Amino acid sequence: MSRNNHTITTTRIHIMALDGIVNVNSLFTLALFLGLAWYPTAPDPTTTLITDTSCIASSSIVEDLIAFHVYSFSSFLFSSLIALAVKQTIKIFDTNKDDDSDGVLRSAPLAHVNLVALRAGTLVSGFGSVFGCGFLMMALMDLVQIKLGVLGCGSLHTFAAVTPLVILVPSALFLIAFCIGNASCCRLYEVAMFQGVGSDNGVKYVLLQYSNELRKSMQKENQPINLLSFPSTLNYLSFPSKLPSKYLKIALFVKKWPHRSLAGGLERHALTLHLALAKRGHELHIFTTSPSNSSFPRYPMSNLYFHLSKPTAAGYLDQAIVWKQFLTQNSTGKAFDIVHTESVGLLHTRSRNLTNLAVTWHGIAYETIHTDIIQELLRNPDEQQAYALTERITKVVEEVRFFPHYAHHVATSDHAGDILRRIYMIPEERVHVILNGVDEEIFKPDPAKGEAFKQKFGVAKSRSLVLGMAGRLVKDKGHPLMFEALKQMLVENGTFRENTIVLIAGDGPWGARYRDLGTNILVLGPLEQAQLASFYNAIDIFVNPTLRAQGLDHTLLEAMLSGKSVMSTRVASITGSVIVSTEIGYTFSPMVVSLKNALYRVWEDGRRVLEMKGQASRQRGLHLFTATKMAAAYERLFLCISNDISKREDYCHYQSPFN
């Protein structure tokens, strides 16, 4: 839920609930206190409306009146004190310090607390109010008997006063108790389940940020959701983990199949997704280029087939050859249920007649305009001016023209999905958003591995902050920006220089320049997946200074699943899908001064704050960015696209668990 661009988290909603409890309790407590103070003794019998002396209330009823007032007063006071104690505890551990270093006002108050204790405190406080209302109702019944006669006399006026009291108040109390004890009747629970509640080391975290259309679609009573027109990312939905009743024959076109650590984001996406689909029993046929100087990897799966072909001079798939291979396999056995292409692995000239085709875009020309603007702003005066912006506009126009030749489009970020719908004018039912996912079994918190990794590379324990970066060390990944920021900070701040070390996993032209900065920078070279998992556990925060506005970087997701806070350039794909709040990490404008301010903020916050942000980061990662989540979303979309109505298949409708 967003209000004035401020994210409201579960912690803040609990504070609002506790405020409501305290306010209501205060009114009741004040009323009871005044009642007891002004009328401390039994009412004067002459003030009653009773004519029959046998119907006058006994002294025990009068005693009960006073006792129930005291019990009610005590219950409300107890409830208020518990609520105030819980609220104060949250404020003490508030981690969202005010910061306007980038001209942005941070939302407050926000904290990462043990949600079990928070719920228990709220539960106890709520039931205190329930008991207070119950005792107050019984006190009012005694008051009615004192004023109008005891119930045993059968007075119509007595029953007329008591009957609404004993029906309406207990009904309300039951409803309140049910809502407190079973959060599923509350809107908060619905949103929490939808956005994902995970637990790790006793900490739970929920981000309540979603579009108005999404909320409306989930609120429709008993109305299944049409997946083809679902307005937000499919990662939000929970699909069953059991194996599907229908197994698909899937064709994949990808320019290059990843080999060891030498893989870009597109290739890693292809590997992670399609191996996961193969493990779930689907038949995979992968059309890709053969490696020039290395052996092709082998997998122990009988349902995974590779169809290799020699790449073109530019390194792309030879469309004539792969199309011939595809037609052969399409006519062997049953036809393909789904054709999937990673970006333009299969060109639009071949795809225009395939209604069962889905293309996953890892970057589109419109997004890269932002990249070109950044590159131009960062260009040194002595560098030649690029004409990429003019060329990019032409490329966007070309894409708008040929993109409709693909039947279905999968965007890897919420921002890219919005562009495809609005700018590229693709019909909404043909645009789907599925965020990238990484292997949650590999990338997970393991402090022991992190310590061993630091020991191996000689990272001293005296270093209070370990920054980490990974990937290709090239210009468009933002390394000139990061290099200049670190260079200035290491010169101007001796304490920062003594306490900070930067670990860099990757290679490229900027590796040698980083080494020139001295012993504060360790360039480790490219790492295998297992080593990379240890690398993430060794750092305090992962920094991604990318200048590329397109796609969704896997390294950020790997760091999040490893339980690390993240920091990245403020581009739409990242702020819209990954670092959506300050509880997860930090963002900065692609300028040296902004990057330095963010790095200093990280240094000042220290490890304790970074650990809490890392826990929140992992919870979002577990809910949205796992390979399991991504594969489940693709599987259901592919089943939907291949839906056979003649066989009464209904894979395109998703029944909300809240209906």
Side-chain angles (χ1 to χ4, degrees):
M1 179 186 327
S2 180
R3 185 179 298 163
N4 296 332
N5 295 327
H6 297 328
T7 302
I8 300 179
T9 63
T10 308
T11 305
R12 194 171 183 185
I13 291 176
H14 276 87
I15 291 177
M16 294 162 62
L18 292 170
D19 282 337
I21 292 175
V22 172
N23 293 337
V24 172
N25 287 351
S26 299
L27 293 174
F28 280 121
T29 305
L30 178 62
L32 287 166
F33 177 78
L34 293 176
L36 289 171
W38 288 353
Y39 299 101
T41 59
D44 187 348
T46 60
T47 62
T48 67
L49 302 175
I50 304 169
T51 56
D52 187 350
T53 56
S54 63
C55 292
I56 295 176
S58 64
S59 61
S60 63
I61 293 179
V62 177
E63 292 170 357
D64 286 344
L65 171 65
I66 303 299
F68 287 142
H69 269 80
V70 174
Y71 296 157
S72 182
F73 178 85
S74 302
S75 297
F76 285 127
L77 186 59
F78 168 80
S79 174
S80 295
L81 291 174
I82 293 295
L84 287 170
V86 173
K87 180 181 174 182
Q88 191 60 35
T89 302
I90 293 174
K91 287 187 174 181
I92 290 173
F93 289 99
D94 173 23
T95 63
N96 193 29
K97 304 170 184 174
D98 291 336
D99 174 37
D100 57 355
S101 59
D102 290 325
V104 179
L105 181 64
R106 311 294 180 184
S107 58
L110 299 170
H112 304 299
V113 299
N114 189 313
L115 197 55
V116 175
L118 181 58
R119 284 177 175 171
T122 308
L123 189 70
V124 171
S125 180
F127 274 114
S129 296
V130 170
F131 279 110
C133 291
F135 287 129
L136 182 59
M137 180 196 71
M138 290 187 282
L140 289 173
M141 288 181 63
D142 287 336
L143 181 63
V144 169
Q145 293 185 87
I146 292 171
K147 295 291 186 180
L148 301 178
V150 295
L151 293 172
C153 288
S155 170
L156 179 62
H157 296 292
T158 303
F159 280 109
V162 169
T163 300
L165 197 63
V166 298
I167 292 176
L168 298 179
V169 175
S171 299
L173 292 178
F174 174 78
L175 181 61
I176 292 171
F178 179 77
C179 283
I180 294 172
N182 183 5
S184 61
C185 71
C186 302
R187 174 66 186 162
L188 172 61
Y189 179 82
E190 176 181 324
V191 176
M193 285 297 293
F194 186 78
Q195 286 295 99
V197 180
S199 61
D200 187 48
N201 299 326
V203 177
K204 295 189 177 182
Y205 180 78
V206 181
L207 282 172
L208 305 178
Q209 185 177 10
Y210 51 91
S211 64
N212 289 330
E213 301 112 313
L214 189 56
R215 185 191 300 184
K216 291 175 183 177
S217 69
M218 301 307 289
Q219 285 179 328
K220 292 181 180 178
E221 292 293 333
N222 300 317
Q223 185 69 35
I225 297 168
N226 186 338
L227 294 180
L228 293 181
S229 57
F230 189 64
S232 189
T233 172
L234 294 181
N235 299 57
Y236 284 134
L237 303 181
S238 297
F239 300 107
S241 58
K242 64 179 182 181
L243 295 177
S245 56
K246 174 183 177 180
Y247 291 102
L248 302 171
K249 183 179 179 182
I250 303 171
L252 167 68
F253 292 87
V254 59
K255 182 179 76 171
K256 181 181 177 184
W257 190 254
H259 178 65
R260 300 174 69 86
S261 60
L262 304 175
L266 183 151
E267 290 83 12
R268 292 171 70 183
H269 177 272
L271 173 74
T272 304
L273 170 61
H274 295 92
L275 288 186
L277 291 174
K279 289 177 182 177
R280 288 185 61 78
H282 300 291
E283 183 180 331
L284 270 294
H285 291 260
I286 298 172
F287 300 88
T288 187
T289 57
S290 54
S292 58
N293 53 6
S294 62
S295 59
F296 199 83
R298 296 181 179 273
Y299 303 93
M301 299 180 187
S302 59
N303 57 333
L304 184 62
Y305 305 92
F306 287 92
H307 307 280
L308 306 180
S309 59
K310 186 178 179 180
T312 64
Y316 294 99
L317 283 170
D318 188 313
Q319 296 294 304
I321 294 176
V322 296
W323 186 249
K324 184 177 180 180
Q325 291 175 328
F326 168 77
L327 293 177
T328 300
Q329 294 302 320
N330 196 43
S331 60
T332 303
K334 75 168 185 174
F336 285 109
D337 299 296
I338 284 292
V339 180
H340 182 215
T341 172
E342 297 279 3
S343 192
V344 290
L346 184 67
L347 293 181
H348 63 91
T349 53
R350 303 282 180 177
S351 68
R352 65 176 68 231
N353 296 320
L354 296 174
T355 58
N356 62 338
L357 180 140
V359 54
T360 296
W361 298 113
H362 296 271
I364 53 181
Y366 188 88
E367 284 184 294
T368 57
I369 291 176
H370 188 188
T371 302
D372 296 334
I373 293 172
I374 295 171
Q375 296 275 22
E376 181 61 24
L377 290 173
L378 295 176
R379 181 178 60 85
N380 291 326
D382 56 344
E383 289 183 8
Q384 184 178 359
Q385 184 174 9
Y387 295 94
L389 281 171
T390 305
E391 297 171 0
R392 195 72 66 193
I393 297 297
T394 304
K395 179 67 174 176
V396 171
V397 174
E398 291 176 0
E399 288 188 348
V400 171
R401 285 174 175 161
F402 77 74
F403 267 37
H405 295 162
Y406 293 97
H408 292 273
H409 302 254
V410 180
T412 58
S413 71
D414 297 279
H415 176 62
D418 181 59
I419 291 173
L420 289 173
R421 296 184 185 101
R422 291 189 304 106
I423 309 300
Y424 285 56
M425 296 172 286
I426 307 295
E428 291 193 2
E429 65 274 10
R430 292 170 56 192
V431 177
H432 323 285
V433 179
I434 301 179
L435 305 178
N436 288 344
V438 295
D439 195 331
E440 65 271 30
E441 295 301 319
I442 295 176
F443 300 103
K444 56 187 177 182
D446 193 333
K449 283 186 177 179
E451 289 300 321
F453 189 90
K454 286 193 285 188
Q455 206 170 34
K456 177 181 177 181
F457 289 97
V459 178
K461 292 184 178 181
S462 60
R463 302 285 189 174
S464 60
L465 179 64
V466 181
L467 303 173
M469 293 187 290
R472 293 183 297 116
L473 308 182
V474 294
K475 181 179 179 180
D476 66 346
K477 291 295 185 178
H479 290 288
L481 187 72
M482 188 68 178
F483 174 84
E484 185 59 32
L486 288 174
K487 179 181 177 181
Q488 293 182 19
M489 293 172 72
L490 292 173
V491 171
E492 68 191 19
N493 194 313
T495 309
F496 179 84
R497 183 173 62 252
E498 292 172 5
N499 296 335
T500 305
I501 190 167
V502 184
L503 302 182
I504 304 176
D507 60 358
W510 284 86
R513 301 183 191 184
Y514 277 126
R515 291 188 180 96
D516 291 339
L517 292 179
T519 56
N520 290 85
I521 315 294
L522 291 181
V523 181
L524 310 174
L527 302 179
E528 297 293 340
Q529 264 197 342
Q531 295 175 305
L532 200 56
S534 298
F535 160 81
Y536 288 122
N537 277 285
I539 63 177
D540 295 312
I541 184 170
F542 181 78
V543 184
N544 179 24
T546 184
L547 304 182
R548 292 170 58 87
Q550 65 271 31
L552 204 60
D553 203 314
H554 285 76
T555 55
L556 282 171
L557 313 184
E558 292 166 352
M560 290 176 72
L561 282 177
S562 300
K564 299 301 175 180
S565 179
V566 288
M567 180 173 132
S568 188
T569 319
R570 194 178 294 125
V571 293
S573 60
I574 293 173
T575 58
S577 300
V578 184
I579 311 178
V580 296
S581 76
T582 55
E583 286 72 58
I584 290 174
Y586 308 79
T587 59
F588 56 89
S589 299
M591 300 169 62
V592 173
V593 62
S594 180
L595 175 54
K596 285 175 61 179
N597 287 339
L599 288 170
Y600 276 130
R601 171 72 191 281
V602 168
W603 180 47
E604 291 166 1
D605 282 349
R607 275 189 175 151
R608 181 176 173 276
V609 172
L610 293 177
E611 286 172 359
M612 288 189 286
K613 289 179 182 288
Q615 290 168 345
S617 178
R618 176 167 166 78
Q619 298 319 307
R620 183 167 178 83
L622 285 174
H623 180 61
L624 294 176
F625 304 129
T626 65
T628 301
K629 196 76 177 180
M630 176 181 67
Y634 269 98
E635 179 183 71
R636 186 59 178 266
L637 176 63
F638 288 170
L639 286 167
C640 172
I641 294 173
S642 67
N643 205 47
D644 190 341
I645 300 177
S646 65
K647 296 181 180 179
R648 297 185 177 181
E649 293 178 351
D650 189 23
Y651 293 107
C652 288
H653 289 94
Y654 173 85
Q655 188 68 45
S656 166
F658 319 124
N659 294 335

